[in-house]
Amino acid sequence: EISRLRCRTCETDNVSSNNTQPIVMMKNSLIFRNRSNAFKAGLVLLAYFFYFWGIVSLIPVTSPLITSLCNGDIGEASFYIGVITACGSLTTIFSVPILGAISDVHGRRPILLLSLIGQATDLLGLILAYQFQSLWILFITKTISGLGSGFASICFAAIADLSSNENRAKYFGMTGISMGAAFLVGPMGSIFLGQISLSLPLAVGLIVVAINFIFIFVAVPESLMEPGEMVQWKKALPILSLRMLNRSPLTIYYTVIFLLIWLGEDSLIDIFAIYFIYRFGWEVQQLGMFMLLVGLVYVLSQGVVLRIFVRCIGDRKSLMVSLLINAISFLLFPHVTQMWLIFAGMSFRLISLISAPLLQGIISRHFPPSQQGELNGVLGAVKMFANLVMPLMATNLFSFFISPKAPSIIPGIVFYVASFIFFVATLIAAFAFWRYPDEPVSYMPLTKMDADGVELLESEELEVSNENPTM
């Protein structure tokens, strides 16, 4: 019986590969098809760099632009920043799992190209809002752009396709290097062109998105070599897609920690610029210089610190240390009163920034290669849920605690909230590691018992259930 099942599995694999290989090849790049996986991963990382270059082009400009549309009222601008961000996050929560599931069948490249159209819509909306002095344009374009916001998640899926369990965390960390390099290059437009017009850095970002579209179409090969047979639409729904993270108690703990990490980070992403404008009177040029520093810290953190920590103390201890440093640094940040201390305090971020890519690499080891696109789509939806909730809460908290209605003026209230979130994440991680001391170093199929008490692997269980649906 076992031999018969193995033969059927081999025949099915051969038929499936013969049917799907031409489809994958039709969607492949014009060049660089037959290179090593390391080379292909490098191309994906380069596309990731261009993607974040486009994002960084709008970060230093968005808060000053919306503040100008609110006639200089920082409290009102803070409120609208949160609401506009939430509009994009709401549509992204639904789109990212669907795009991830589609990419597991039809490949990563088409979804990457589609996502760039969404990014271009976002940049174009900011330009039009500035030219026509209308906030409503931002609401519309941000909502539309959220439908195609799967670029980062699909990049992670492509890197998972091209890496092994042993080096996947390292490659995920290299996405941080690409992001950091974009933060080093992208703010240049804000520093120099922002003095002329706020729309010029956004125009540069739009050009970068167009270059990235051409680059992916021409040069980035398809990484999915074993596409699924059909899209599982039920699994792509946001609520139902979360079921895949219920693989084991340990993956549930990891998912909660992953959510808390992004709740803490997203509470600050949309508030830091408006906070610096309020606290220190920064303008576009100072914000651009700060983004340059953030880029340098990202490169050092993901390229150097992550590798050193994982090599010396392992994945789990590295995660614990980074979570704890996040909690401590955010607790101290509101007490900084001089600008030079801000730049000095960024040294803490060298360690704290490794938590998200490190945990994503750990989670990926619990799932087979055929589910990496779906997994990263689901994790992207979890991240977008944090991006939906926290900007609304953070911007409203900031707006309230700098207003006369507040019992006490506390502009750094959001940093205290972020610190508390990371303390909770640290405690959950400590309990999970104590409760489950063994961590798999590579993917292992789960085992279950059939009706006769025989232990079956996941693949065998699927074939038996297909053969006898009533089981």
Side-chain angles (χ1 to χ4, degrees), residues 147-219:
L147 296 173
S149 298
F151 193 94
S153 298
I154 303 303
C155 275
F156 275 98
I159 290 171
D161 295 337
L162 299 168
S163 59
S164 63
N165 290 301
E166 290 73 20
N167 61 16
R168 189 165 294 148
K170 179 186 74 174
Y171 276 109
F172 282 171
M174 291 177 70
T175 60
I177 300 177
S178 298
M179 185 191 304
F183 274 78
L184 289 173
V185 177
M188 292 295 183
S190 301
I191 294 172
F192 298 106
L193 299 177
Q195 300 179 22
I196 303 172
S197 172
L198 291 178
S199 62
L200 288 179
L202 300 172
V204 172
L206 204 55
I207 294 172
V208 171
V209 173
I211 293 173
N212 198 16
F213 189 95
I214 297 171
F215 171 70
I216 293 175
F217 184 82
V218 174

Side-chain angles (χ1 to χ4, degrees), residues 96-97 99-105 108 150 152-165 168-169 172 223-224 226-228 244-245 247 359-380 442-444:
V96 169
L99 295 176
I102 293 174
S103 76
D104 281 336
V105 177
R108 316 299 186 198
S153 298
I154 303 303
C155 275
F156 275 98
I159 290 171
D161 295 337
L162 299 168
S163 59
S164 63
N165 290 301
R168 189 165 294 148
F172 282 171
S223 63
L224 183 67
E226 297 180 4
M244 77 173 301
L245 297 174
R247 181 176 177 83
L359 180 58
Q360 193 154 351
I362 293 173
I363 294 174
S364 70
R365 294 203 298 257
H366 291 259
F367 294 86
S370 61
Q371 291 183 338
Q372 291 299 318
E374 183 184 353
L375 170 64
N376 284 281
V378 173
L379 292 178
S442 61
Y443 165 71
M444 292 293 293

Side-chain angles (χ1 to χ4, degrees), residues 21 41 48 64 83 89 119 135 147 218 247 249 266 269 314 316 326 343 350 376 379 381 398-399 410 421 428 434 455:
Q21 186 67 16
Y48 196 75
V83 174
S89 300
Q119 186 183 22
L135 280 170
L147 296 173
V218 174
R247 181 176 177 83
D266 286 340
I269 288 176
R316 288 186 160 193
N326 263 313
F343 295 95
L350 287 170
N376 284 281
L379 292 178
F398 176 77
S399 179
I410 311 175
I421 291 173
I428 294 175
W434 169 79
E455 205 173 57

Side-chain angles (χ1 to χ4, degrees), residues 12-329:
T12 303
D13 289 343
N14 291 333
V15 172
S16 176
S17 62
N18 290 335
N19 291 338
T20 56
Q21 186 67 16
I23 297 176
V24 173
M25 291 302 293
M26 283 191 296
K27 296 176 182 175
N28 218 329
S29 60
L30 300 180
I31 57 177
F32 299 140
R33 295 180 181 177
N34 300 317
R35 298 299 183 95
S36 66
N37 282 353
F39 184 85
K40 293 177 182 178
L43 294 175
V44 174
L45 290 170
L46 184 56
Y48 196 75
F49 161 75
F50 283 123
Y51 171 72
F52 268 94
W53 186 349
I55 289 179
V56 173
S57 299
L58 62 87
I59 291 178
V61 177
T62 301
S63 292
L65 190 151
I66 294 178
T67 302
S68 69
L69 295 179
C70 296
N71 298 317
D73 188 332
I74 293 179
E76 184 182 0
S78 174
F79 169 77
Y80 279 114
I81 288 171
V83 174
I84 291 170
T85 302
C87 289
S89 300
L90 184 61
T91 52
T92 301
I93 288 174
F94 291 92
S95 67
V96 169
I98 294 174
L99 295 176
I102 293 174
S103 76
D104 281 336
V105 177
H106 298 289
R108 316 299 186 198
R109 277 167 40 89
I111 308 302
L112 291 175
L113 295 173
L114 176 64
S115 298
L116 289 179
I117 297 175
Q119 186 183 22
T121 304
D122 198 6
L123 286 162
L124 184 61
L126 284 165
I127 294 174
L128 294 176
Y130 179 72
Q131 295 297 327
F132 293 99
Q133 293 292 296
S134 173
L135 280 170
W136 287 107
I137 295 177
L138 293 180
F139 283 102
I140 297 171
T141 55
K142 195 71 175 179
T143 303
I144 295 173
S145 67
L147 296 173
S149 298
F151 193 94
S153 298
I154 303 303
C155 275
F156 275 98
I159 290 171
D161 295 337
L162 299 168
S163 59
S164 63
N165 290 301
E166 290 73 20
N167 61 16
R168 189 165 294 148
K170 179 186 74 174
Y171 276 109
F172 282 171
M174 291 177 70
T175 60
I177 300 177
S178 298
M179 185 191 304
F183 274 78
L184 289 173
V185 177
M188 292 295 183
S190 301
I191 294 172
F192 298 106
L193 299 177
Q195 300 179 22
I196 303 172
S197 172
L198 291 178
S199 62
L200 288 179
L202 300 172
V204 172
L206 204 55
I207 294 172
V208 171
V209 173
I211 293 173
N212 198 16
F213 189 95
I214 297 171
F215 171 70
I216 293 175
F217 184 82
V218 174
V220 177
E222 177 57 61
S223 63
L224 183 67
M225 291 295 103
E226 297 180 4
E229 294 181 1
M230 61 182 297
V231 179
Q232 301 292 329
W233 293 109
K234 290 184 178 180
K235 293 183 178 180
L237 295 175
I239 301 300
L240 297 179
S241 64
L242 293 175
R243 292 180 179 177
M244 77 173 301
L245 297 174
N246 189 24
R247 181 176 177 83
S248 68
L250 191 54
T251 56
I252 295 176
Y253 281 115
Y254 285 155
T255 303
V256 173
I257 297 169
F258 186 81
L259 173 62
L260 290 173
I261 288 174
W262 286 110
L263 284 173
E265 291 286 350
D266 286 340
S267 65
L268 303 172
I269 288 176
D270 288 304
I271 205 67
F272 86 92
I274 203 77
Y275 174 82
F276 287 139
I277 292 172
Y278 173 83
R279 190 76 182 271
F280 301 105
W282 283 12
E283 297 181 354
V284 175
Q285 291 72 35
Q286 286 83 5
L287 291 172
M289 292 296 295
F290 181 76
M291 298 301 293
L292 285 175
L293 176 63
V294 171
L296 179 61
V297 170
Y298 258 109
V299 170
L300 294 176
S301 174
Q302 309 300 308
V304 180
V305 176
L306 175 62
R307 297 184 183 186
I308 293 175
F309 267 69
V310 172
R311 187 183 301 116
C312 295
I313 62 175
D315 291 347
R316 288 186 160 193
K317 291 180 180 178
S318 299
L319 181 62
M320 286 288 296
V321 171
S322 65
L323 291 174
L324 186 59
I325 289 181
N326 263 313
I328 296 173
S329 60

